[in-house]
Amino acid sequence: MAFDVLARAESAVLAEPSSANVPFLDLKAQFGEIRDEVLDAVIRVLEAQHFILGPEVDALEREVAKYVGVEFAIGCASGSDALLLAQMAIGIEPEDEVITSPFTFGATAGSIARLKARPVFVDIHPDTFNFDERQLEAAITSRSRAIMPVHLFGLPANMDEVLEIARKYHLAVLEDAAQAIGARWKEKSIGSLGTCGCFSFFPSKNLGGAGDGGMITTNDPQLAQRLRTLRVHGARRKYRYELLGINSRIDALQAAILRVKLRYLDDWTDRRRRNAETYRELFTEYHLTEQLVLPCAPKASFHVYNQFSIRAARRDELQEYLREQGISTEVYYPSPLHVEPAFAYLGYRNGDFPNAEAVCREVLSIPIYPELTADLQQAVVAAISRFYGVGPRT
């Protein structure tokens, strides 16, 4: 494999391509592989004319529960709602505190704030991008009710430490697994370790639908029933409202499509992981490990690479150069949540979480989707090499 990578690298230097066409994500390529199965599933739903909950949703919930290794899975309208519903189900109330990361998508802390609870941030590990579990205890107060680890970019947080601290202080653990379906911590599936696991089926996720969708996983039967009630306006029987719930149901059409895709998920994950290894080899051969910090994958973790996020010197210049070369990239995330205007009321300031702030200035996600070819990966790395003025080792 190393010889093949070097041969491709040397060939690229000789050819010195000036531009490429590398999308950040190619959902059309994915659809092309499973087109007939997806269309059959959609037609099945359209012919049945059963669009809200029903047999397709029931089947998806059973299949996801089996895949994650839990007793129950409850579908909902989005990953954001999964986080919200999980907190509603465990009884998060105004002024309660939920500890989480400032380096994540806004829905993580937003779901806490929606319930008028308080997001409490702890800084991240600069290598894993997940929150630093060593700082958790210092953040716990008499108002703490839950810890919300984020398995960012598909890499599990250190769940041994999180669970130990949660047990010590009698806190719930709500896993933000929006980007991490199929990931494992010490061979245990993410979403099966905490009180609840919260997944997103947004189209860009490793298991993505044709729109929004989400899922909550748990082993607690009472919690599962409460979640099922909360997602339908708090009613177990029509027009009988036991709880103050919301309308958050995954559509049968989405469920049918996701059932098709779930059968391919392990293969797509393997391809993402192979692409990650190819990148590592290419970056080494191009002698770029001094300019970049590559994503780490601790031995205890099974990383599913929803993103391949590097830390790059002169990140903004590099991103603009790659754009000019026809290579699409994304910045996840340009600023940490504690400095965003929506969370200004929390009273945090620049400098409070230096690792998260530094990562936001340097992080850049490059294409990693399963259908990405070795030639396209080579084009990405060759372009980065040209930007920094270095080349492959010979």
Side-chain angles (χ1 to χ4, degrees):
M1 179 65 175
F3 176 81
D4 291 341
V5 171
L6 180 57
R8 289 199 303 272
E10 290 173 340
S11 174
V13 169
L14 291 173
E16 291 192 348
S18 60
S19 64
N21 181 17
V22 187
F24 186 70
L25 179 64
D26 192 350
L27 291 177
K28 289 184 178 179
Q30 183 189 87
F31 178 64
E33 294 182 356
I34 58 174
R35 183 179 187 277
D36 291 343
E37 291 176 78
V38 169
L39 292 179
D40 286 345
V42 170
I43 290 169
R44 183 173 70 243
V45 174
L46 292 176
E47 288 180 341
Q49 289 290 295
H50 197 149
F51 299 118
I52 304 300
L53 300 179
E56 292 289 349
V57 172
D58 290 344
L60 177 67
E61 290 175 339
R62 290 194 301 271
E63 290 161 10
V64 169
K66 181 179 179 181
Y67 185 83
V68 175
V70 295
E71 290 294 321
F72 309 101
I74 299 90
C76 61
S78 68
S80 300
D81 276 5
L83 294 168
L84 181 66
L85 284 163
Q87 291 172 88
M88 293 171 68
I90 66 168
I92 293 294
E93 297 179 347
E95 305 306 321
D96 286 344
E97 295 178 349
V98 180
I99 304 169
T100 192
S101 169
F103 185 59
T104 179
F105 183 59
T108 305
S111 66
I112 301 166
R114 281 283 178 191
L115 297 174
K116 300 189 184 303
R118 182 180 178 85
V120 174
F121 297 126
V122 296
D123 207 359
I124 64 169
H125 288 285
D127 49 355
T128 68
F129 304 138
N130 288 325
F131 69 18
D132 188 343
E133 67 283 348
R134 295 168 300 182
Q135 299 184 33
L136 283 176
E137 281 197 86
I140 294 171
T141 73
S142 60
R143 293 181 175 178
S144 300
R145 289 290 311 281
I147 303 171
M148 188 180 288
V150 183
H151 306 299
L152 199 68
F153 305 146
L155 176 66
N158 184 338
M159 290 303 291
D160 286 354
E161 296 296 326
V162 171
L163 293 169
E164 181 178 345
I165 291 169
R167 284 191 292 268
K168 180 178 178 180
Y169 292 94
H170 307 289
L171 304 176
V173 175
L174 308 177
E175 299 179 68
D176 184 342
Q179 301 174 349
I181 191 165
R184 298 193 294 272
W185 173 259
K186 293 186 176 179
E187 298 308 313
K188 292 185 178 180
S189 292
I190 292 307
S192 71
L193 295 160
T195 311
C196 290
C198 302
F199 295 91
S200 170
F201 300 133
F202 188 77
S204 64
K205 298 300 190 286
N206 291 22
L207 180 62
D212 281 313
M215 189 77 72
I216 308 137
T217 53
T218 185
N219 283 309
D220 185 328
Q222 292 182 330
L223 200 56
Q225 182 55 60
R226 189 173 176 85
L227 286 162
R228 291 192 188 98
T229 303
L230 286 166
R231 72 176 174 181
V232 287
H233 304 283
R236 279 204 286 183
R237 291 188 299 145
K238 196 171 184 179
Y239 306 134
R240 292 293 182 266
Y241 307 106
E242 301 176 19
L243 303 169
L244 184 60
I246 61 175
N247 177 20
S248 183
R249 302 167 294 201
I250 189 168
D251 296 332
L253 275 168
Q254 296 298 343
I257 293 168
L258 288 164
R259 291 183 65 203
V260 173
K261 289 190 168 188
L262 183 60
R263 297 197 290 268
Y264 292 87
L265 180 57
D266 284 343
D267 176 61
W268 292 338
T269 297
D270 288 344
R271 288 154 71 177
R272 285 177 180 272
R273 287 171 56 83
R274 287 198 299 270
N275 287 346
E277 288 309 305
T278 297
Y279 270 137
R280 294 183 197 283
E281 293 178 1
L282 282 167
F283 281 125
T284 298
E285 299 301 340
Y286 273 84
H287 203 26
L288 280 162
T289 52
E290 294 179 9
Q291 290 78 15
L292 308 174
V293 178
L294 305 185
C296 75
K299 289 183 179 179
S301 301
F302 183 85
H303 199 328
V304 295
Y305 293 100
N306 181 243
Q307 306 298 342
F308 191 91
S309 297
I310 61 176
R311 293 183 66 178
R314 298 160 54 204
R315 189 271 312 281
D316 293 342
E317 296 174 54
L318 173 60
Q319 185 179 35
E320 177 60 20
Y321 177 80
L322 293 176
R323 186 193 66 78
E324 293 170 352
Q325 301 297 300
I327 297 169
S328 297
T329 61
E330 294 287 347
V331 174
Y332 300 113
Y333 297 93
S335 63
L337 296 184
H338 69 281
V339 300
E340 285 295 302
F343 298 104
Y345 72 96
L346 295 173
Y348 293 113
R349 293 178 173 83
N350 272 307
D352 285 346
F353 305 109
N355 289 337
E357 292 164 23
V359 166
C360 286
R361 293 190 293 268
E362 299 174 353
V363 73
L364 184 68
S365 296
I366 60 178
I368 189 68
Y369 58 91
E371 299 80 16
L372 186 69
T373 66
D375 287 343
L376 290 180
Q377 288 188 269
Q378 177 190 321
V380 172
V381 178
I384 295 173
S385 172
R386 292 194 299 274
F387 174 79
Y388 287 115
V390 299
R393 295 169 178 156
T394 58

